């Protein structure tokens, strides 16, 4: 819809399109598994995810986490914990 975001309905409708469905399957994304992924990516809980964040996150979800990635996550959790205290 040219909004620059993707909502849950748009994401699910993409599985109804035969070409897009084939692409999702090649990436090993199945409709029954996508709600969890969508809610994880919707960090602001608006029901919409910026397209660039959506596809960057999908690509990353298929990569193996490195020690550097895990260290970054650990530091972010520590920072958030201090902010909440």
């Amino acid at each position: 819809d040219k909004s620059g975001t993707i909502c849950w309905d748009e994401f699910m409708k993409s599985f109804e399109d035969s070409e897009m469905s084939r692409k999702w399957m090649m990436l090993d994304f199945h409709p029954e598994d996508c709600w969890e992924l969508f809610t994880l990516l919707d960090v602001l809980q608006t029901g919409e995810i910026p397209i660039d964040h959506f596809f960057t996150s999908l690509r990353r979800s298929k990569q193996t986490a490195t020690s550097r990635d895990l260290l970054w996550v650990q530091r972010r959790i520590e920072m958030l914990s201090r902010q909440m205290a």
Side-chain angles (χ1 to χ4, degrees), residues 9-41:
D9 288 338
E10 292 169 325
F11 185 35
M12 288 310 297
K13 284 181 183 175
S14 72
F15 285 92
E16 296 171 9
D17 178 273
S18 60
E19 184 177 340
M20 277 303 300
S21 183
R22 185 176 52 78
K23 290 178 181 179
W24 288 127
M25 296 303 166
M26 286 174 40
L27 295 170
D28 197 28
F29 286 106
H30 305 278
E32 61 273 9
D33 303 324
C34 291
W35 177 247
E36 181 181 11
L37 175 65
F38 190 87
T39 56
L40 287 171
L41 298 180

Side-chain angles (χ1 to χ4, degrees), residues 54-83:
F54 181 77
F55 285 107
T56 298
S57 298
L58 289 182
R59 187 177 64 249
R60 284 185 176 169
S61 75
K62 293 300 178 180
Q63 296 173 344
T64 303
T66 64
S67 296
R68 182 179 176 189
D69 296 327
L70 297 175
L71 180 61
W72 182 86
V73 169
Q74 181 181 4
R75 294 293 182 246
R76 289 292 298 158
I77 290 171
E78 291 170 358
M79 288 172 51
L80 290 170
S81 293
R82 282 194 299 271
Q83 289 175 357

